[in-house]
Amino acid sequence: MSRTDWRRISACGLLACSWACGDGRNPPAPIGGLGDTDSPTMTATGTATGTATDDSATGATMTAGVDTSGGPGPLNCGDVVCTGFGHCEIGEDGLPYCACDPGYVVDESGEVCIVDESCVQLRFLEDRCRQVVNGAPAVSLFFAVDFCAGTAVLPAKIDELGLTFTVLENGNDVEDNVESFATVIPKPVESYVDLVIDVSESITGSQDLAALVEQLRALVTSLAPEPGASDVYVSIHVFGRESAEYVPFTRDLGAVDAALAAIVADPAAVVLQAGGGDGTDLFDGLELGINRTQRIRDLRDGVTWGGVLSTGTVVVVTDGNDSSGGTLDQGLVDRTTNNVISIGISADVDDQVLQAIGRDGSFLAPSPEDWPAAFAEITRRVQEYPQRSYLLAYCSSTTEGSPNVEISIDGATEVAKTAVCQFDADVFGSGSVFTCDASYFAGECGPDTCGGLTACGACDDDECCDGFGCRAPQIAGGSPGLECDGQNDLCAQEGLICYESGTCGPATPLEADCGEGCEPGASYCRDEMDEPEVCIPALAMGQACETPEQCPELNCQRQNPDNAFQVPTCRPEALLHDPCGSDDAVCEAGGYCQSTCLPRKRSFESCGGAKECRTAQCNNYEGAGNLCDGLGACFWSWDEKVPA
C-alpha cells in the first residue's frame, strides 16, 4: 500500500489515534510499535479543528475537538495523538492523519507501524580509518549498522536477511582484487551512556517526579553487564536554567542509582546545581551531554592507544522546549559518533524539535502511563548498540595517496547512509616482508595487551598503554627520545615541570626568582612593574585573572564566553571539547587548546606543533609535512579520569 493510498483511507483508521482533549471517549488500546503485543506504544501529538468526517472504508469517525462555529477552516495537529511509531500529519485534503515515523512502515494489518527492515544505514563509530604505519598494508574500520528506524541490526539479523558488507576504495570493491582480504573481527565493545535530564520546575515540582525517576533508575539497573562482559559507564547531566554535570562517568552503577534517588529526596539540591528551575536550557544540555560523552571515549582511546572499542549514547529527557533563546546545533547532532535519543514526557514538547534532537530515536510519551513503554524501548536500544558494532579489517592494494574508503552493505533494498573515511597509503611499509593476509590479522595483537590495529585491549586502571604494552604512567624521558617540549602534563607524574630545554625538572619554590618556572596550579610568576619576578601563590577559584597560569586549574575565562562585559575569572579545569579561550591555554592531560580543547593526536597524524601530539613531538617528513612522531607516550592513567 502506498503512502498516498494509506492517507486516503482515514485520519484515524490505520494507526490508532485519539484526541488529547475531546469527547470523553476511552483512549484506544495500545498498538505495539514493533508488531507484537509486548512492544511499546509511542505517541506523537497533533491538533485538529474543523468539521467532523466519516470514512466509510474504516468506519473511523473524527468528532472530538471540532470547531464548527466558523466553518471548516484549516486543520493543525495540536490535539491529535497517534500511537505506535507514528505522528500526526495534515493530508492534502486538509485533514489530520497518522503517519509512520521515518524508518517505519505499516504492517500487513494496516494498523501497526513496524521497523522497515528493507532500509539500513551505516555509520563510523570512530573519527578515522585505522591503519598500520611502516608495516603491512592493513586497515580496520569500526562502524555500526542500524535500520533506518534507529534500531540495531544485530549479527543474527545480518545472517537472517542475507546481508553482506562491501568495502570500496575509491569506488572499487576490494574483493575484486585478488591481493585483498577482508574479515569481520569479533571484539568486545564498552558502552558509555549519558542521561541528560530536565530538572526545571515543571518536572521537579511535579507529583510525577518519583515515577519518572523510577523509570530512569530501572534503565540504569538494566545496563549492568553480565560477569565477564565489557564495562558499561553511566553519567548524568542536568539542565534547568543552566546545564551542569550531576554524576561524572562511572561504572559504579549503584552510585548512579543513589544519585537518581537523591533527586526525589531533595529536588532543590539538583535544581540549584542546574542554576535554578525557572528555565529549560535544553540545547546546551544536549550539547554538554554529547561533548562529555565524546570526551570520555576520546580519553579511553588515548589511554589504551586505541586498544578499546566503544559506543556512546546520549539520552535526553525533557518535558518542554528550550527557553534559553539559544539554537539547536543540528550539525553537532548529525555528525557525532554517539547515538542520540530523545524522549518528551509531556504534551508540551515540540515533536519536530524532539525528532531533530533524537537522531537515533525520538519518543513522545506525554503521560506517566506512556513512560514504561517508552523507556523499555530506549533500554533495548541502548543495550543493543554495542552488539551491532562491527570491526572490519582488510588488506589494501593501494600504495599511494589517500583513498576514500566506503563501507556499504549488499542485500538491502535501500542503504540510506554509508560510512566513509580516508587513510594514507604512503605510510605503509615497503617490500615483500610486509604482507597482509588472514594470518596477519589472526596474529596482529601477538603479545601486545593494548593498542593495535584490531583493538588488542586495555591496561589496568592505574596503568596506560605506550602503543606496545602497559606500564605505569611515566614522565617525559621514560621512553627513549620522548621530550616534553613545553608540555607540563608530560612531567606531572613526578611533580615536575617542563623546562625550556625540553626536559623535566623541579619547579621554582614560592618567593624565589621565577627561573625555569613556577609550580602549575600552585603558584605563578609575578610580572609587575617595579616588583621582583618571583613565584607567588595562585589565585583562588572565582577570582579575576588575566592568564591561565594564575589559576589553580589553569583556566582563566569568562563564565559566559559570549558576554564581553564579564571579567575573566579562575574556572574549573578545561576538559576535552570545552571552550578554552586562547590557544596557549591549558587543557586537561591528554588534550590541547585550539579555541576548544581537542584530544592529542596519534602518531603520524598531521600536526601544527608539539602540543598537538600525544608524544609532544611534531616533526617534518619530506613530502608528508609535519606529523606527530616519536615513541608511545604514557603519562596519565584511566583512574585519573574516572571514579573507581
Side-chain angles (χ1 to χ4, degrees):
M1 179 184 298
S2 70
R3 178 169 173 170
T4 302
D5 293 336
W6 176 29
R7 179 170 58 240
R8 289 173 178 167
I9 288 180
S10 156
C12 284
L14 292 177
L15 293 170
C17 72
S18 61
W19 298 99
C21 53
D23 63 0
R25 291 176 299 175
N26 292 327
I31 292 183
L34 296 176
D36 59 62
T37 56
D38 295 326
S39 298
T41 299
M42 309 306 155
T43 65
T45 62
T47 297
T49 57
T51 57
T53 62
D54 181 273
D55 191 308
S56 59
T58 63
T61 303
M62 298 176 59
T63 57
V66 175
D67 177 7
T68 59
S69 60
L75 296 172
N76 63 68
C77 280
D79 290 336
V80 173
V81 177
C82 302
T83 63
F85 292 99
H87 61 279
C88 181
E89 292 186 5
I90 300 298
E92 295 174 357
D93 54 6
L95 297 176
Y97 70 97
C98 291
C100 286
D101 288 338
Y104 292 87
V105 294
V106 184
D107 73 348
E108 293 181 355
S109 72
E111 297 182 354
V112 178
C113 282
I114 60 173
V115 172
D116 180 2
E117 294 190 349
S118 70
C119 182
V120 299
Q121 56 188 0
L122 295 86
R123 185 176 69 249
F124 276 122
L125 297 174
E126 295 180 326
D127 61 355
R128 69 194 191 277
C129 293
R130 295 179 173 221
Q131 72 170 110
V132 171
V133 175
N134 289 334
V139 179
S140 67
L141 313 156
F142 182 46
F143 61 96
V145 184
D146 295 318
F147 291 116
C148 295
T151 58
V153 183
L154 301 178
K157 182 62 71 170
I158 292 278
D159 294 338
E160 177 187 330
L161 298 178
L163 305 179
T164 56
F165 297 122
T166 301
V167 184
L168 306 175
E169 279 189 1
N170 289 334
N172 300 314
D173 191 335
V174 299
E175 290 198 352
D176 291 341
N177 191 317
V178 295
E179 299 174 356
S180 296
F181 170 82
T183 182
V184 173
I185 303 176
K187 288 287 180 177
V189 179
E190 293 183 350
S191 179
Y192 293 82
V193 182
D194 191 12
L195 304 179
V196 181
I197 306 171
D198 186 345
V199 294
S200 57
E201 177 62 28
S202 55
I203 288 182
T204 53
S206 168
Q207 61 182 1
D208 296 323
L209 175 63
L212 174 62
V213 171
E214 180 182 354
Q215 295 299 323
L216 293 167
R217 294 178 68 183
L219 169 59
V220 171
T221 300
S222 73
L223 298 179
E226 297 292 332
S230 296
D231 286 331
V232 176
Y233 293 79
V234 176
S235 174
I236 300 176
H237 288 87
V238 293
F239 61 93
R241 186 175 181 84
E242 300 172 356
S243 50
E245 183 178 76
Y246 181 55
V247 179
F249 273 102
T250 177
R251 57 190 164 204
D252 183 354
L253 302 189
V256 179
D257 180 76
L260 287 169
I263 294 177
V264 178
D266 185 12
V270 71
V271 170
L272 181 63
Q273 193 164 347
D278 57 340
T280 304
D281 194 16
L282 171 60
F283 296 152
D284 281 351
L286 166 69
E287 185 174 340
L288 182 63
I290 291 175
N291 286 336
R292 284 291 189 268
T293 305
Q294 192 58 51
R295 168 195 176 251
I296 204 69
R297 294 179 63 207
D298 286 339
L299 291 173
R300 191 58 166 158
D301 183 81
V303 78
T304 66
W305 210 261
V308 168
L309 304 174
S310 70
T311 63
T313 307
V314 180
V315 180
V316 182
V317 183
T318 185
D319 77 335
N321 304 311
D322 186 278
S323 63
S324 70
T327 57
L328 173 63
D329 188 346
Q330 191 65 57
L332 177 64
V333 175
D334 293 342
R335 67 176 177 267
T336 181
T337 60
N338 301 304
N339 298 102
V340 187
I341 295 174
S342 61
I343 174 171
I345 57 171
S346 84
D348 296 328
V349 179
D350 186 328
D351 194 37
Q352 287 187 326
V353 174
L354 199 67
Q355 290 187 44
I357 290 172
R359 184 194 67 187
D360 304 293
S362 173
F363 304 95
L364 190 53
S367 69
E369 292 74 22
D370 302 315
W371 296 349
F375 277 101
E377 173 64 11
I378 291 171
T379 298
R380 184 175 70 88
R381 295 192 185 201
V382 175
Q383 290 173 330
E384 289 182 349
Y385 283 145
Q387 302 172 47
R388 64 43 157 145
S389 306
Y390 302 89
L391 182 67
L392 187 150
Y394 77 98
C395 302
S396 174
S397 60
T398 303
T399 59
E400 60 184 28
S402 300
N404 284 320
V405 180
E406 180 180 12
I407 299 291
S408 188
I409 200 162
D410 288 338
T413 303
E414 178 184 357
V415 181
K417 182 183 296 183
T418 59
V420 180
C421 66
Q422 289 183 312
F423 66 88
D424 185 357
D426 292 321
V427 300
F428 286 145
S430 301
S432 59
V433 66
F434 298 119
T435 59
C436 181
D437 52 24
S439 62
Y440 174 83
F441 293 118
E444 190 262 332
C445 290
D448 295 341
T449 54
C450 62
L453 178 76
T454 56
C456 299
C459 304
D460 292 338
D461 286 356
D462 60 351
E463 295 181 324
C464 50
C465 183
D466 63 5
F468 304 99
C470 299
R471 59 177 169 82
Q474 294 180 325
I475 65 170
S479 296
L482 182 62
E483 300 173 351
C484 56
D485 200 356
Q487 310 304 307
N488 283 326
D489 53 359
L490 271 72
C491 304
Q493 287 295 333
E494 294 187 15
L496 306 178
I497 65 171
C498 186
Y499 290 171
E500 288 187 10
S501 62
T503 60
C504 297
T508 299
L510 281 171
E511 304 301 331
D513 182 273
C514 295
E516 291 283 2
C518 307
E519 182 179 352
S523 61
Y524 68 99
C525 185
R526 181 171 61 193
D527 184 11
E528 300 176 6
M529 188 177 297
D530 301 327
E531 294 286 347
E533 293 186 356
V534 298
C535 292
I536 60 175
L539 303 174
M541 290 291 289
Q543 277 192 279
C545 55
E546 296 179 356
T547 64
E549 291 76 16
Q550 296 176 322
C551 298
E553 298 290 347
L554 306 179
N555 186 9
C556 176
Q557 291 190 78
R558 301 184 185 95
Q559 183 171 356
N560 179 1
D562 297 326
N563 187 347
F565 298 100
Q566 282 188 346
V567 174
T569 57
C570 290
R571 305 277 299 149
E573 183 180 38
L575 305 180
L576 290 189
H577 305 293
D578 283 351
C580 51
S582 60
D583 289 354
D584 61 351
V586 179
C587 297
E588 68 174 313
Y592 71 97
C593 182
Q594 191 170 303
S595 298
T596 298
C597 290
L598 301 175
R600 289 196 181 202
K601 296 180 178 178
R602 308 165 190 87
S603 296
F604 300 104
E605 289 188 311
S606 62
C607 52
K611 72 174 185 179
E612 298 181 10
C613 301
R614 292 181 182 177
T615 58
Q617 293 188 54
C618 178
N619 296 326
N620 182 267
Y621 285 82
E622 185 177 353
N626 292 330
L627 301 175
C628 291
D629 198 3
L631 298 178
C634 180
F635 56 95
W636 52 271
S637 59
W638 186 233
D639 61 8
E640 295 177 45
K641 300 294 185 179
V642 296

